[in-house]
Amino acid sequence: MSDATCAPSRPGHRSDLQRRRLLGLGLGLGALASGCAPQPVQPVQPDSGQPRFALGVASGAPRPHSVVLWTRLTGTGLPQRVEVQWELAVDEGFVRIVARGTETAEVDWAHSIHAEPQGLEPGRWYWYRFTALGQRSEMGRTRSAPAADDGAPLHFVTASCQRWDHGHYAAWRHVVREAPDLVVFLGDYIYESAAVPGRVRSHDPFAHGGGCRSLADYRSRHALYKSDPALQAAHAVAPWVAIWDDHEVENDYAGLQGQRLQPDFADQRAAAYQAWWEHMPVPQSMRPQGGQVRLYTHFDWGRLARLICLDTRQYRDPQACPKSGRGGSNVVRMAECPTLADPRRSLLGSAQEGWLADTWSTERRWNLLAQSTLMAQAVGGDRFDPSRALVWTDGWDGYAPARQRLLQTVSQRRIPGCVVLGGDVHATYVADLKVDPMAPGSPRVATEFCGTSISSHGWEQKRTDALLEMHPHLRYGRADERGYLSFRAEPGLLRVQVQSVLVPNDPDSGIRTAAAFVVEAGRPGAQPG
């Protein structure tokens, strides 16, 4: 059989054979059902009974000529420094290896590897694997971004909020079946809180069931989550772009302020940021420095789209009007909290706000803004009466002047195809975004798709129904479903499907398309699709 037949499909091609291969790859079901016979490879004999790649493999940060390849060595008795070989090929059989190298896994960084092969061909699929200590990892599939002048379509999914003890990860199994070009994760990859007895699945005491405070705690929690086979499969099927929210560190933290106002929060945050970097397929340039990580960045998908990634935690001002003796969020009456209207307060910080204003692309059809929570106004009570309007201070409603600045820039510069992507609230919302949602006739300037959680519980649907009735710019809302959002971007149209698992507590649950929408290029706002 020729090399051309065995080469990976071009973007957009999704044959049944390819899906079966990916299922075999991602879910650890044994040999791939491949129509191509790879060259025989001598098996690598393990040096002990301990698996050294028990957390799987992953890739991320796709550029036209580079990608990040990730793994972390596991097991006891690891040397302080271990040489790890990686290989990148254009076929599953690794007959045509196009890049290889050696990285050093160090104990100070949890024996994690962030390899960055360069000189890749734009817009094509690759396969990769690692070897160390006499063992070879499972293979993963990744791809490079299209060249700058390429108008190739983009199939991506967004997901967030995968609390371990709230449910299983059936949604990730269906992401694997979709075999997208890209996975965009929008925060709350882990939850730092202590285990709660009687939940769907428990934290193994060996995997640290208490609340996370130290570097060892956060490493253990990441390893627990990464032990899930469906999540490993989703990492192995496509490159990821990931941002964080609060639970990667602590619920509702803001900048260097913890919810409990603990004096050592800076050390706790630094530990959490390091563990996040150690377990995510992000570049070495994002390695924490002085307890900080430069998270915000952007990725271009040819001439079609720009994906802009924001950090909504590290630089924000503390939430307004907190509870007595506490940090974090509160629900307050708008009239009783004048701090909410202070234009100096920011969710992103002034430096990141300025960076974002300069990063929008006026040359591409779509500007996809990856940030962590619901941007659309969703105040409770009576939004027209400040004495009765109720504001949740942790979300964009708690930083309304900053939100208005962001959307004013989109409006004034006529940013094309602005689509805001969010998570955090454990509910799916589709919304029209306006500079001033309270002003009659205020035009739509962007469209928002805020996805529900992978597993984390949401509130009662009747509360969401009340918000939908109160806010006409909220076009759709479901808080009683778990799942993810699936997107297909083309030059003239963005298609979106709300994917909802049937039984969140069943790891083998089926899935349904709960709703579908389209956004036309040059026409903000979602329409039923």
Side-chain angles (χ1 to χ4, degrees):
M1 190 169 290
S2 70
D3 287 341
T5 305
C6 294
S9 304
R10 283 295 183 184
H13 180 65
R14 296 289 183 269
S15 69
D16 288 339
L17 176 58
Q18 185 183 45
R19 287 194 182 96
R20 290 197 299 272
R21 289 176 180 171
L22 294 170
L23 285 171
L25 160 66
L27 298 179
L29 301 179
L32 302 181
S34 174
C36 300
Q39 294 291 327
V41 178
Q42 292 298 320
V44 176
Q45 298 299 322
D47 66 330
S48 71
Q50 299 183 74
R52 294 306 189 185
F53 297 99
L55 302 184
V57 300
S59 69
R63 307 284 185 185
H65 301 290
S66 67
V67 71
V68 174
L69 309 179
W70 174 92
T71 194
R72 176 192 166 189
L73 300 182
T74 56
T76 60
L78 288 170
Q80 292 206 359
R81 295 167 59 87
V82 181
E83 287 194 349
V84 180
Q85 289 77 42
W86 56 267
E87 296 175 308
L88 188 76
V90 295
D91 63 294
E92 302 104 305
F94 288 84
V95 176
R96 297 172 57 198
I97 296 173
V98 296
R100 54 164 51 97
T102 299
E103 301 288 332
T104 302
E106 301 180 70
V107 66
D108 289 345
W109 300 98
H111 291 99
S112 61
I113 292 294
H114 301 72
E116 300 180 47
Q118 305 291 318
L120 305 185
E121 180 183 342
R124 78 165 302 156
W125 289 101
Y126 293 93
W127 281 259
Y128 63 95
R129 63 188 180 189
F130 300 89
T131 305
L133 299 175
Q135 294 187 25
R136 178 173 291 143
S137 73
E138 296 290 332
M139 75 174 87
R141 189 184 82 136
T142 191
R143 62 159 301 157
S144 55
D149 60 350
D150 193 332
L154 169 61
H155 173 200
F156 69 99
V157 303
T158 64
S160 64
C161 304
Q162 52 183 10
R163 182 161 172 166
W164 178 270
D165 56 342
H166 276 199
H168 287 283
Y169 294 168
W172 286 126
R173 296 179 62 91
H174 296 283
V175 169
V176 172
R177 288 186 172 91
E178 284 201 26
D181 295 314
L182 184 67
V183 174
V184 181
F185 194 84
L186 299 170
D188 293 345
Y189 188 93
I190 63 165
Y191 280 69
E192 84 296 351
S193 51
V196 177
R199 291 290 175 84
V200 177
R201 55 180 176 174
S202 64
H203 294 79
D204 186 325
F206 179 75
H208 185 74
C212 295
R213 298 290 181 269
S214 69
L215 178 56
D217 295 341
Y218 287 107
R219 284 172 170 172
S220 180
R221 189 60 56 88
H222 274 281
L224 172 67
Y225 278 50
K226 273 225 165 40
S227 71
D228 186 278
L231 179 56
Q232 286 193 16
H235 273 296
V237 79
W240 281 43
V241 168
I243 61 173
W244 56 41
D245 194 24
D246 54 341
H247 287 291
E248 285 87 353
V249 181
E250 179 178 277
N251 181 55
D252 282 1
Y253 85 93
L256 284 171
Q257 183 183 95
Q259 189 177 37
R260 297 172 290 117
L261 301 180
Q262 58 270 44
D264 60 347
F265 181 71
D267 293 337
Q268 180 183 340
R269 194 188 79 168
Y273 282 4
Q274 177 171 337
W276 183 88
W277 180 84
E278 290 169 348
H279 291 84
M280 290 293 111
V282 294
Q284 295 187 32
S285 61
M286 289 176 64
R287 186 194 302 256
Q289 299 287 337
Q292 299 183 19
V293 171
R294 166 65 184 269
L295 182 72
Y296 59 90
T297 187
H298 77 272
F299 299 88
D300 289 334
W301 198 263
R303 66 172 185 267
L304 176 74
R306 172 162 290 180
L307 175 65
I308 303 172
C309 302
L310 298 184
D311 181 344
T312 61
R313 287 289 165 186
Q314 189 170 190
Y315 313 108
R316 70 157 68 191
D317 289 302
Q319 295 88 343
C321 302
K323 298 174 184 177
S324 178
R326 298 280 289 177
S329 69
N330 199 0
V331 177
V332 300
R333 294 191 183 278
M334 188 180 297
E336 298 173 0
C337 185
T339 306
L340 290 169
D342 186 345
R344 296 169 297 179
R345 299 179 67 249
S346 175
L347 189 73
L348 304 178
S350 59
Q352 188 177 191
E353 280 195 22
W355 171 87
L356 175 60
D358 293 336
T359 302
W360 297 108
S361 175
T362 57
E363 302 172 349
R364 291 171 176 81
R365 295 295 185 94
W366 301 104
N367 281 267
L368 308 172
L369 187 65
Q371 50 86 55
S372 63
T373 192
L374 178 68
M375 184 174 287
Q377 185 190 65
V379 298
D382 184 343
R383 71 187 183 113
F384 295 103
D385 182 354
S387 68
R388 299 177 61 192
L390 298 174
V391 176
W392 176 53
T393 61
D394 193 60
W396 280 99
D397 281 338
Y399 300 81
R403 174 177 60 197
Q404 189 170 43
R405 287 194 297 271
L406 189 159
L407 294 175
Q408 278 177 336
T409 299
V410 172
S411 176
Q412 292 169 358
R413 295 188 55 194
R414 300 183 183 276
I415 302 301
C418 181
V419 176
V420 175
L421 311 172
D424 177 44
V425 293
H426 306 175
T428 298
Y429 290 99
V430 178
D432 299 333
L433 295 180
K434 304 177 180 182
V435 174
D436 185 358
M438 301 292 289
S442 180
R444 295 177 298 218
V445 299
T447 313
E448 179 170 19
F449 293 95
C450 181
T452 191
S453 57
I454 289 288
S455 61
S456 305
H457 294 169
W459 63 21
E460 292 181 314
Q461 178 60 28
K462 65 182 181 181
R463 296 178 65 179
T464 295
D465 290 338
L467 288 176
L468 295 176
E469 185 176 354
M470 188 185 312
H471 297 280
H473 59 271
L474 297 179
R475 308 288 296 279
Y476 176 90
R478 299 299 308 185
D480 56 348
E481 298 178 341
R482 314 275 72 83
Y484 62 95
L485 300 181
S486 178
F487 297 79
R488 296 178 186 271
E490 301 170 356
L493 201 67
L494 178 69
R495 301 182 185 275
V496 188
Q497 291 184 322
V498 179
Q499 301 294 85
S500 175
V501 297
L502 302 179
V503 186
N505 292 349
D506 180 0
D508 299 317
S509 173
I511 201 164
R512 69 185 182 94
T513 300
F517 299 90
V518 296
V519 182
E520 298 178 15
R523 185 185 177 190
Q527 306 299 323

